Amino acid sequence: MPHSTSPELSLQEDSILPDAPARPLEDGLDNTSEEESSAGTQTMDDSITDPASKANANLEDMFEDDDEDDDFSSSAPQASSEAASQDTIKPAPNTSSSDPEVMKAFYQRLFPFRYLFQWLNHSPSPTNDFGHREFAFTLRNDAYLRYQSFPTADLLRKQCIQLNPSRFEIGPVYSTNPRERKALRRATAFRPISKELVFDIDMTDYDEIRTCCTGANICSRCWTFITMAIKVIDAALRDDFGFRHILWVYSGRRGAHAWVCDRRARDMDDAKRRAVAGYLELLKGGDKSGKRVNAKRPLHPHLERSLNLLRDHFQADILCKQDPWASPEKAARLLELLPDKELNKSLQKKWDSAPLRPSSQKWADIDALAATGASGSLDTKALRDAKQDIVLEYTYPRLDAEVSKKLNHLLKSPFCVHPATGRVCVPIDTRRVEEFDPLGVPTATELLAQIDEWARTHDDGGEGEEEKKKVQDWEKTSLKPYVEFFRTFVGGLLKDEKGAVKRERQESESMEF
Amino acid sequence: MLASSRIDPKRRNNLDHRKRQFAQPQWQQQKYEYGLNFYVLPPTAEITLEEFEEWAIARLKVLSELESCTFRNRTPEETTNYMTPILQKHMPLNPSRSSTAQDERKTDHYSHFILRLAFSATEDLRRRFSRLETMLFRLRYKEEDARERKNFVDSLGATMGMSWEKVSEDEVQELGADLRAATGYAKKGEDEGWFKVDWEKVPELVESRKVLLKRGKAYVPVREQQSLVVAEFGRRLDAALELTARALPRLDEDDRLSPILAHLSQSFTAPEATYDADSSPSGLAPTHQNIDALSQHFPLCMQHLHRTLRQNSHLKHYGRLQYTLFLKGIGLSLEECIMFWRRSFKLMTDEKFTKEYKYNVRHAYGDVGGDANRRGRGYTPYSCQKLLTEALPGPGMTHGCPYRTFTVDNLVAMLQQTGVSDRETLKGVREDVARQRYHIACNRVFEYAHKSEIKEVKNKGVWGEAELDTILHPNTYFKRSFLLKHLGEEGYSGETNER
């Protein structure tokens, strides 16, 4: 392998972290050997008792997990040739995920464990926020290890390298260390107490309205659905709920996750999570439920704002690019959503004579025919409302709301590699969400090749060797902007947390004296 | 070092807490100024054991009736109408001027605290008790005389620091149309005005988008003050129940109360329709091969799942779960059930099936998963209540109760496909569904489909009232349908008692 790691290199990576706050792991490093061995035996334990540890999962959770599994294994991973066409020696992208060596090297050299630690720990020195946090590993043989926890970033990293999971998920912080849960006398002493508020948007929920691709496939045309969803949800979370630390992450294939990290969001119980999800959820009912958006008038300001955000997308991306009512059968669906029977009849007549009229024209026909008085009893307000509802039905975010409603739901960690596509789950910068191209996201294989490439181009013999050692592996690759974005995000969060802790301390002190 | 300095104040607090608790017992008679009560102070006067039990049972009766209202999907108005006579009978609360008011309020106060003791032992009971008590409080709050209610709310502000910031005129101006678009216009005779609170205080108003949200603050119209008060009631009760639970072990020493309390909490677990998996018709031996034939006896929810499964050779997760549990309920063994799903997902490789689906089926049967001791026999089959109260299915999903999730036209079309073509019945179904009486609609269809058989058993007197009671469980539907169609046949004599 061209990108096999030498041990010194990986050690070095740990010690050189110019922007890490004040060597938080000093204590941890001193007794590494001891902790490492204990972590090692723990692992053995848990992998042997795998069914049991899995069994301990909350019943509902077990069931919820499985649909997500569906999407990993179904159909062949799409080849992503245009994005991956650098002239480096590497296996084809679709084999990258099945290559354990690639994953191992990825964890060793590229995965930003330090920032992940800071993100979840909310403080430079290790706290229970990290130590009592559940991690769950999906191993290569598809075994699922729940209730893993780690005192420090280093131990998490070691475990990842050793187990080499195809992905891992992040759960809540528990009241006690998840590894010790079986030693507790009372089962109730082990309960989840905090977790980021999370959202999951997946393209499968759009299958009935997207015309370009189906199933696991995506293209830039249908990615627009996700872009629209991000815009709407992000605006609501910030303007309405006042959340500030919202991390959007590409899920690696055809969706996006959001992690709302504000303390106020992390401390929410299930009822509050359900409230937020309910506030954001608009489409109700299954395939047979008829018209699925029936918004109350006047529109709630959140819906009004969403409609304004979505209107242009509807014109450009839905009507023109998706063309959802092109065929007569599909146009029937449009008529189903319109309120006026007479108007529908004249529309039907018009479209019968030109069955393949594009959607944008059919959409325009509605107003045109209404204006000519095709229906005597036309309620213009009802028609306008129905048209707004249709815009919302075709553009408003479709959340997998169950994920958001439960404090103890697990979600795949940022920077994991999607097993089917090989792409890294990178953060999405909402300020430039339009520019995000899921097909341009680097795969683990490409990134490792880039490290080698960097070494080749910087191989100028002797000079600046010291300098070069200070450059971390991720900085040599196209992962760099994503890690930097994440670092900035975590920095902002930590700054706020520090402020909050200080304020709290002051308050408690002033109360005591 | 850090750790030690953190623990110290905690310990100090504990000491203080104990001191406070035992320092000054207030053994005086309480006077009840308001009919509504936040139940902050526990009662301290002596009562007889008979009163103790009697009052508790009366309150329990009220709470059970309340629970059955949610179970039957009654609207708030229907619930109020239904509950008013029951409340008047078991737990009347008359206005302050009435001569019995003080005694009634005392009974209310004591019975609440007795049940609090009885239902604080487990998380489940606590949650249920808190939910029902909060419902009861909401019901009474709405029915309370406006002036007394206002006095009560004012007293909350004065004694418990519960007050809410009013939105200033300027801010109302500034927010303008947004405010009214979110919260609607005040009806005639209502005060117009808004409170500004952290949105976390009114989660249910947020969930239904009935308030305006700005940067984490919720603008709550004055008429929704009820939500604020009720939410506060629930929050405080939850906290108090936690405390009661912790104090409970000390109560064990009192051997007069413990048996009564244990008895009370047991009788509280009755109302939800449960289904005994063993009570599938005896002699019926379902296998993966005869499910198709048996499916004619399935209620619409399960028929819909079955048809979808046959159509797509796949079902989404919640549909699978609902259907698996139902099949378990009709007596399909785990092996047969796995075989059933394996054959049904015919487009799938064995490997994929084993890897991703088999575990869940075994899990539903309690074959794997969970703590071996607590696992039992897995999940119980879902009742109508469960199906009617869970979230609506999303795109592509087929679980739940079709009477609730389908549009009326789709529902009627589906019924016609299954052979229900009687105009009267369909009209009745439309009406039931419009009034959200989904289970009544389902029972109506059942009665139509089994018209002659029901007549027969009634005439012969072989089936009693209880055996023809409203169906509240999909498995009951199946069993009754199956038995009615096999009347008098050898081997299907299974007793039909429902529990």
Side-chain angles (χ1 to χ4, degrees), chain B residues 396-423:
Chain B
M397 301 184 195
T398 43
H399 64 276
C401 170
Y403 292 96
R404 171 166 170 256
T405 61
F406 281 30
T407 58
V408 177
D409 292 335
N410 284 337
L411 174 67
V412 168
M414 166 98 183
L415 282 170
Q416 282 165 337
Q417 280 171 33
T418 58
V420 182
S421 49
D422 179 56
R423 190 167 298 195

PDB file of all heavy atoms in Angstrom, chain B residues 396-423:
ATOM      1  N   GLY B 396     -44.880   6.669   2.028  1.00  0.00           N
ATOM      2  CA  GLY B 396     -44.453   5.303   1.756  1.00  0.00           C
ATOM      3  C   GLY B 396     -44.735   4.324   2.870  1.00  0.00           C
ATOM      4  O   GLY B 396     -44.472   3.147   2.744  1.00  0.00           O
ATOM      5  N   MET B 397     -45.270   4.806   4.007  1.00  0.00           N
ATOM      6  CA  MET B 397     -45.515   3.897   5.117  1.00  0.00           C
ATOM      7  C   MET B 397     -46.982   3.469   5.126  1.00  0.00           C
ATOM      8  O   MET B 397     -47.844   4.194   4.660  1.00  0.00           O
ATOM      9  CB  MET B 397     -45.195   4.568   6.438  1.00  0.00           C
ATOM     10  CG  MET B 397     -43.767   5.024   6.531  1.00  0.00           C
ATOM     11  SD  MET B 397     -43.490   5.674   8.176  1.00  0.00           S
ATOM     12  CE  MET B 397     -41.969   6.549   7.934  1.00  0.00           C
ATOM     13  N   THR B 398     -47.229   2.305   5.700  1.00  0.00           N
ATOM     14  CA  THR B 398     -48.578   1.764   5.602  1.00  0.00           C
ATOM     15  C   THR B 398     -49.137   1.341   6.948  1.00  0.00           C
ATOM     16  O   THR B 398     -50.202   0.750   6.996  1.00  0.00           O
ATOM     17  CB  THR B 398     -48.569   0.537   4.675  1.00  0.00           C
ATOM     18  OG1 THR B 398     -47.422  -0.248   4.988  1.00  0.00           O
ATOM     19  CG2 THR B 398     -48.537   0.936   3.235  1.00  0.00           C
ATOM     20  N   HIS B 399     -48.433   1.630   8.027  1.00  0.00           N
ATOM     21  CA  HIS B 399     -48.918   1.145   9.319  1.00  0.00           C
ATOM     22  C   HIS B 399     -50.001   2.080   9.858  1.00  0.00           C
ATOM     23  O   HIS B 399     -50.357   3.071   9.235  1.00  0.00           O
ATOM     24  CB  HIS B 399     -47.758   1.063  10.306  1.00  0.00           C
ATOM     25  CG  HIS B 399     -47.146   2.387  10.623  1.00  0.00           C
ATOM     26  ND1 HIS B 399     -46.196   2.965   9.831  1.00  0.00           N
ATOM     27  CD2 HIS B 399     -47.379   3.266  11.617  1.00  0.00           C
ATOM     28  CE1 HIS B 399     -45.849   4.124  10.340  1.00  0.00           C
ATOM     29  NE2 HIS B 399     -46.551   4.341  11.429  1.00  0.00           N
ATOM     30  N   GLY B 400     -50.492   1.747  11.024  1.00  0.00           N
ATOM     31  CA  GLY B 400     -51.531   2.563  11.658  1.00  0.00           C
ATOM     32  C   GLY B 400     -52.920   2.062  11.322  1.00  0.00           C
ATOM     33  O   GLY B 400     -53.092   0.965  10.803  1.00  0.00           O
ATOM     34  N   CYS B 401     -53.918   2.857  11.653  1.00  0.00           N
ATOM     35  CA  CYS B 401     -55.317   2.491  11.429  1.00  0.00           C
ATOM     36  C   CYS B 401     -55.800   3.214  10.178  1.00  0.00           C
ATOM     37  O   CYS B 401     -55.818   4.439  10.146  1.00  0.00           O
ATOM     38  CB  CYS B 401     -56.149   2.912  12.634  1.00  0.00           C
ATOM     39  SG  CYS B 401     -57.928   2.791  12.381  1.00  0.00           S
ATOM     40  N   PRO B 402     -56.202   2.477   9.143  1.00  0.00           N
ATOM     41  CA  PRO B 402     -56.602   3.121   7.883  1.00  0.00           C
ATOM     42  C   PRO B 402     -57.781   4.073   8.053  1.00  0.00           C
ATOM     43  O   PRO B 402     -57.884   5.056   7.329  1.00  0.00           O
ATOM     44  CB  PRO B 402     -56.997   1.962   6.982  1.00  0.00           C
ATOM     45  CG  PRO B 402     -56.547   0.732   7.652  1.00  0.00           C
ATOM     46  CD  PRO B 402     -56.302   1.026   9.076  1.00  0.00           C
ATOM     47  N   TYR B 403     -58.638   3.767   9.035  1.00  0.00           N
ATOM     48  CA  TYR B 403     -59.778   4.655   9.241  1.00  0.00           C
ATOM     49  C   TYR B 403     -59.297   6.052   9.620  1.00  0.00           C
ATOM     50  O   TYR B 403     -59.956   7.041   9.380  1.00  0.00           O
ATOM     51  CB  TYR B 403     -60.700   4.105  10.328  1.00  0.00           C
ATOM     52  CG  TYR B 403     -61.386   2.838   9.902  1.00  0.00           C
ATOM     53  CD1 TYR B 403     -60.866   1.600  10.249  1.00  0.00           C
ATOM     54  CD2 TYR B 403     -62.523   2.885   9.121  1.00  0.00           C
ATOM     55  CE1 TYR B 403     -61.470   0.426   9.842  1.00  0.00           C
ATOM     56  CE2 TYR B 403     -63.146   1.718   8.706  1.00  0.00           C
ATOM     57  CZ  TYR B 403     -62.615   0.490   9.063  1.00  0.00           C
ATOM     58  OH  TYR B 403     -63.223  -0.663   8.639  1.00  0.00           O
ATOM     59  N   ARG B 404     -58.119   6.093  10.207  1.00  0.00           N
ATOM     60  CA  ARG B 404     -57.585   7.374  10.619  1.00  0.00           C
ATOM     61  C   ARG B 404     -56.634   7.934   9.574  1.00  0.00           C
ATOM     62  O   ARG B 404     -56.632   9.133   9.316  1.00  0.00           O
ATOM     63  CB  ARG B 404     -56.850   7.183  11.949  1.00  0.00           C
ATOM     64  CG  ARG B 404     -56.051   8.348  12.421  1.00  0.00           C
ATOM     65  CD  ARG B 404     -55.686   8.146  13.891  1.00  0.00           C
ATOM     66  NE  ARG B 404     -54.715   9.115  14.358  1.00  0.00           N
ATOM     67  CZ  ARG B 404     -53.424   8.851  14.546  1.00  0.00           C
ATOM     68  NH1 ARG B 404     -52.960   7.640  14.286  1.00  0.00           N
ATOM     69  NH2 ARG B 404     -52.600   9.772  15.001  1.00  0.00           N
ATOM     70  N   THR B 405     -55.829   7.087   8.936  1.00  0.00           N
ATOM     71  CA  THR B 405     -54.766   7.612   8.088  1.00  0.00           C
ATOM     72  C   THR B 405     -55.188   7.836   6.642  1.00  0.00           C
ATOM     73  O   THR B 405     -54.573   8.628   5.950  1.00  0.00           O
ATOM     74  CB  THR B 405     -53.552   6.665   8.094  1.00  0.00           C
ATOM     75  OG1 THR B 405     -53.974   5.409   7.588  1.00  0.00           O
ATOM     76  CG2 THR B 405     -52.999   6.480   9.494  1.00  0.00           C
ATOM     77  N   PHE B 406     -56.211   7.147   6.191  1.00  0.00           N
ATOM     78  CA  PHE B 406     -56.636   7.333   4.802  1.00  0.00           C
ATOM     79  C   PHE B 406     -57.536   8.556   4.675  1.00  0.00           C
ATOM     80  O   PHE B 406     -58.213   8.928   5.628  1.00  0.00           O
ATOM     81  CB  PHE B 406     -57.463   6.128   4.341  1.00  0.00           C
ATOM     82  CG  PHE B 406     -56.660   4.917   3.965  1.00  0.00           C
ATOM     83  CD1 PHE B 406     -55.452   4.665   4.566  1.00  0.00           C
ATOM     84  CD2 PHE B 406     -57.131   4.024   3.012  1.00  0.00           C
ATOM     85  CE1 PHE B 406     -54.717   3.541   4.242  1.00  0.00           C
ATOM     86  CE2 PHE B 406     -56.399   2.903   2.679  1.00  0.00           C
ATOM     87  CZ  PHE B 406     -55.200   2.662   3.289  1.00  0.00           C
ATOM     88  N   THR B 407     -57.571   9.169   3.501  1.00  0.00           N
ATOM     89  CA  THR B 407     -58.653  10.117   3.252  1.00  0.00           C
ATOM     90  C   THR B 407     -59.917   9.289   3.099  1.00  0.00           C
ATOM     91  O   THR B 407     -59.873   8.109   2.750  1.00  0.00           O
ATOM     92  CB  THR B 407     -58.447  10.905   1.947  1.00  0.00           C
ATOM     93  OG1 THR B 407     -58.357   9.966   0.876  1.00  0.00           O
ATOM     94  CG2 THR B 407     -57.198  11.750   2.005  1.00  0.00           C
ATOM     95  N   VAL B 408     -61.074   9.950   3.321  1.00  0.00           N
ATOM     96  CA  VAL B 408     -62.321   9.192   3.329  1.00  0.00           C
ATOM     97  C   VAL B 408     -62.527   8.469   2.005  1.00  0.00           C
ATOM     98  O   VAL B 408     -62.931   7.306   1.972  1.00  0.00           O
ATOM     99  CB  VAL B 408     -63.501  10.124   3.630  1.00  0.00           C
ATOM    100  CG1 VAL B 408     -64.794   9.355   3.558  1.00  0.00           C
ATOM    101  CG2 VAL B 408     -63.345  10.729   5.004  1.00  0.00           C
ATOM    102  N   ASP B 409     -62.212   9.156   0.912  1.00  0.00           N
ATOM    103  CA  ASP B 409     -62.468   8.532  -0.394  1.00  0.00           C
ATOM    104  C   ASP B 409     -61.600   7.298  -0.604  1.00  0.00           C
ATOM    105  O   ASP B 409     -62.070   6.273  -1.087  1.00  0.00           O
ATOM    106  CB  ASP B 409     -62.234   9.554  -1.509  1.00  0.00           C
ATOM    107  CG  ASP B 409     -63.279  10.646  -1.477  1.00  0.00           C
ATOM    108  OD1 ASP B 409     -64.391  10.377  -0.968  1.00  0.00           O
ATOM    109  OD2 ASP B 409     -62.989  11.767  -1.925  1.00  0.00           O
ATOM    110  N   ASN B 410     -60.338   7.396  -0.235  1.00  0.00           N
ATOM    111  CA  ASN B 410     -59.466   6.230  -0.359  1.00  0.00           C
ATOM    112  C   ASN B 410     -59.934   5.106   0.547  1.00  0.00           C
ATOM    113  O   ASN B 410     -59.866   3.929   0.202  1.00  0.00           O
ATOM    114  CB  ASN B 410     -58.027   6.605  -0.005  1.00  0.00           C
ATOM    115  CG  ASN B 410     -57.364   7.389  -1.116  1.00  0.00           C
ATOM    116  OD1 ASN B 410     -57.780   7.304  -2.266  1.00  0.00           O
ATOM    117  ND2 ASN B 410     -56.350   8.163  -0.772  1.00  0.00           N
ATOM    118  N   LEU B 411     -60.410   5.504   1.717  1.00  0.00           N
ATOM    119  CA  LEU B 411     -60.881   4.511   2.670  1.00  0.00           C
ATOM    120  C   LEU B 411     -62.077   3.749   2.095  1.00  0.00           C
ATOM    121  O   LEU B 411     -62.120   2.519   2.114  1.00  0.00           O
ATOM    122  CB  LEU B 411     -61.264   5.196   3.982  1.00  0.00           C
ATOM    123  CG  LEU B 411     -61.914   4.315   5.040  1.00  0.00           C
ATOM    124  CD1 LEU B 411     -60.915   3.296   5.567  1.00  0.00           C
ATOM    125  CD2 LEU B 411     -62.476   5.143   6.186  1.00  0.00           C
ATOM    126  N   VAL B 412     -63.022   4.502   1.556  1.00  0.00           N
ATOM    127  CA  VAL B 412     -64.220   3.869   1.017  1.00  0.00           C
ATOM    128  C   VAL B 412     -63.851   2.967  -0.154  1.00  0.00           C
ATOM    129  O   VAL B 412     -64.348   1.842  -0.288  1.00  0.00           O
ATOM    130  CB  VAL B 412     -65.244   4.945   0.603  1.00  0.00           C
ATOM    131  CG1 VAL B 412     -66.352   4.333  -0.227  1.00  0.00           C
ATOM    132  CG2 VAL B 412     -65.817   5.604   1.849  1.00  0.00           C
ATOM    133  N   ALA B 413     -62.940   3.441  -0.997  1.00  0.00           N
ATOM    134  CA  ALA B 413     -62.497   2.616  -2.127  1.00  0.00           C
ATOM    135  C   ALA B 413     -61.904   1.312  -1.634  1.00  0.00           C
ATOM    136  O   ALA B 413     -62.209   0.230  -2.151  1.00  0.00           O
ATOM    137  CB  ALA B 413     -61.470   3.388  -2.959  1.00  0.00           C
ATOM    138  N   MET B 414     -61.098   1.410  -0.606  1.00  0.00           N
ATOM    139  CA  MET B 414     -60.472   0.216  -0.035  1.00  0.00           C
ATOM    140  C   MET B 414     -61.528  -0.728   0.542  1.00  0.00           C
ATOM    141  O   MET B 414     -61.454  -1.943   0.357  1.00  0.00           O
ATOM    142  CB  MET B 414     -59.502   0.670   1.057  1.00  0.00           C
ATOM    143  CG  MET B 414     -59.021  -0.436   1.953  1.00  0.00           C
ATOM    144  SD  MET B 414     -57.415  -1.038   1.429  1.00  0.00           S
ATOM    145  CE  MET B 414     -57.146  -2.376   2.576  1.00  0.00           C
ATOM    146  N   LEU B 415     -62.510  -0.151   1.227  1.00  0.00           N
ATOM    147  CA  LEU B 415     -63.569  -0.985   1.802  1.00  0.00           C
ATOM    148  C   LEU B 415     -64.335  -1.708   0.701  1.00  0.00           C
ATOM    149  O   LEU B 415     -64.669  -2.890   0.822  1.00  0.00           O
ATOM    150  CB  LEU B 415     -64.528  -0.126   2.636  1.00  0.00           C
ATOM    151  CG  LEU B 415     -64.015   0.263   4.025  1.00  0.00           C
ATOM    152  CD1 LEU B 415     -64.920   1.296   4.655  1.00  0.00           C
ATOM    153  CD2 LEU B 415     -63.886  -0.964   4.918  1.00  0.00           C
ATOM    154  N   GLN B 416     -64.605  -0.989  -0.380  1.00  0.00           N
ATOM    155  CA  GLN B 416     -65.334  -1.618  -1.478  1.00  0.00           C
ATOM    156  C   GLN B 416     -64.536  -2.767  -2.070  1.00  0.00           C
ATOM    157  O   GLN B 416     -65.093  -3.802  -2.427  1.00  0.00           O
ATOM    158  CB  GLN B 416     -65.685  -0.572  -2.533  1.00  0.00           C
ATOM    159  CG  GLN B 416     -66.879   0.270  -2.091  1.00  0.00           C
ATOM    160  CD  GLN B 416     -67.051   1.527  -2.908  1.00  0.00           C
ATOM    161  OE1 GLN B 416     -66.095   2.011  -3.519  1.00  0.00           O
ATOM    162  NE2 GLN B 416     -68.253   2.089  -2.914  1.00  0.00           N
ATOM    163  N   GLN B 417     -63.232  -2.561  -2.149  1.00  0.00           N
ATOM    164  CA  GLN B 417     -62.389  -3.651  -2.660  1.00  0.00           C
ATOM    165  C   GLN B 417     -62.488  -4.883  -1.775  1.00  0.00           C
ATOM    166  O   GLN B 417     -62.384  -6.000  -2.232  1.00  0.00           O
ATOM    167  CB  GLN B 417     -60.925  -3.222  -2.692  1.00  0.00           C
ATOM    168  CG  GLN B 417     -60.548  -2.367  -3.882  1.00  0.00           C
ATOM    169  CD  GLN B 417     -59.163  -1.817  -3.715  1.00  0.00           C
ATOM    170  OE1 GLN B 417     -58.296  -2.467  -3.128  1.00  0.00           O
ATOM    171  NE2 GLN B 417     -58.939  -0.615  -4.209  1.00  0.00           N
ATOM    172  N   THR B 418     -62.646  -4.664  -0.482  1.00  0.00           N
ATOM    173  CA  THR B 418     -62.706  -5.811   0.415  1.00  0.00           C
ATOM    174  C   THR B 418     -64.125  -6.338   0.551  1.00  0.00           C
ATOM    175  O   THR B 418     -64.397  -7.170   1.399  1.00  0.00           O
ATOM    176  CB  THR B 418     -62.176  -5.456   1.810  1.00  0.00           C
ATOM    177  OG1 THR B 418     -62.954  -4.366   2.334  1.00  0.00           O
ATOM    178  CG2 THR B 418     -60.728  -5.035   1.774  1.00  0.00           C
ATOM    179  N   GLY B 419     -65.023  -5.818  -0.272  1.00  0.00           N
ATOM    180  CA  GLY B 419     -66.353  -6.407  -0.322  1.00  0.00           C
ATOM    181  C   GLY B 419     -67.404  -5.716   0.514  1.00  0.00           C
ATOM    182  O   GLY B 419     -68.490  -6.235   0.700  1.00  0.00           O
ATOM    183  N   VAL B 420     -67.096  -4.544   1.031  1.00  0.00           N
ATOM    184  CA  VAL B 420     -68.113  -3.799   1.778  1.00  0.00           C
ATOM    185  C   VAL B 420     -68.734  -2.799   0.821  1.00  0.00           C
ATOM    186  O   VAL B 420     -68.138  -1.772   0.519  1.00  0.00           O
ATOM    187  CB  VAL B 420     -67.492  -3.060   2.981  1.00  0.00           C
ATOM    188  CG1 VAL B 420     -68.572  -2.332   3.769  1.00  0.00           C
ATOM    189  CG2 VAL B 420     -66.743  -4.035   3.863  1.00  0.00           C
ATOM    190  N   SER B 421     -69.902  -3.118   0.300  1.00  0.00           N
ATOM    191  CA  SER B 421     -70.481  -2.237  -0.711  1.00  0.00           C
ATOM    192  C   SER B 421     -71.805  -1.637  -0.255  1.00  0.00           C
ATOM    193  O   SER B 421     -72.396  -0.825  -0.943  1.00  0.00           O
ATOM    194  CB  SER B 421     -70.673  -3.008  -2.013  1.00  0.00           C
ATOM    195  OG  SER B 421     -71.336  -4.220  -1.715  1.00  0.00           O
ATOM    196  N   ASP B 422     -72.261  -2.027   0.929  1.00  0.00           N
ATOM    197  CA  ASP B 422     -73.548  -1.550   1.426  1.00  0.00           C
ATOM    198  C   ASP B 422     -73.515  -0.037   1.623  1.00  0.00           C
ATOM    199  O   ASP B 422     -72.649   0.494   2.315  1.00  0.00           O
ATOM    200  CB  ASP B 422     -73.851  -2.247   2.756  1.00  0.00           C
ATOM    201  CG  ASP B 422     -75.160  -1.756   3.327  1.00  0.00           C
ATOM    202  OD1 ASP B 422     -76.176  -1.850   2.615  1.00  0.00           O
ATOM    203  OD2 ASP B 422     -75.154  -1.270   4.463  1.00  0.00           O
ATOM    204  N   ARG B 423     -74.483   0.623   0.995  1.00  0.00           N
ATOM    205  CA  ARG B 423     -74.468   2.078   1.005  1.00  0.00           C
ATOM    206  C   ARG B 423     -74.609   2.638   2.418  1.00  0.00           C
ATOM    207  O   ARG B 423     -73.904   3.549   2.819  1.00  0.00           O
ATOM    208  CB  ARG B 423     -75.584   2.598   0.105  1.00  0.00           C
ATOM    209  CG  ARG B 423     -75.488   4.079  -0.119  1.00  0.00           C
ATOM    210  CD  ARG B 423     -76.383   4.506  -1.244  1.00  0.00           C
ATOM    211  NE  ARG B 423     -75.998   3.880  -2.499  1.00  0.00           N
ATOM    212  CZ  ARG B 423     -76.427   4.304  -3.688  1.00  0.00           C
ATOM    213  NH1 ARG B 423     -77.245   5.320  -3.765  1.00  0.00           N
ATOM    214  NH2 ARG B 423     -76.044   3.714  -4.795  1.00  0.00           N
TER     215      ARG B 423
END
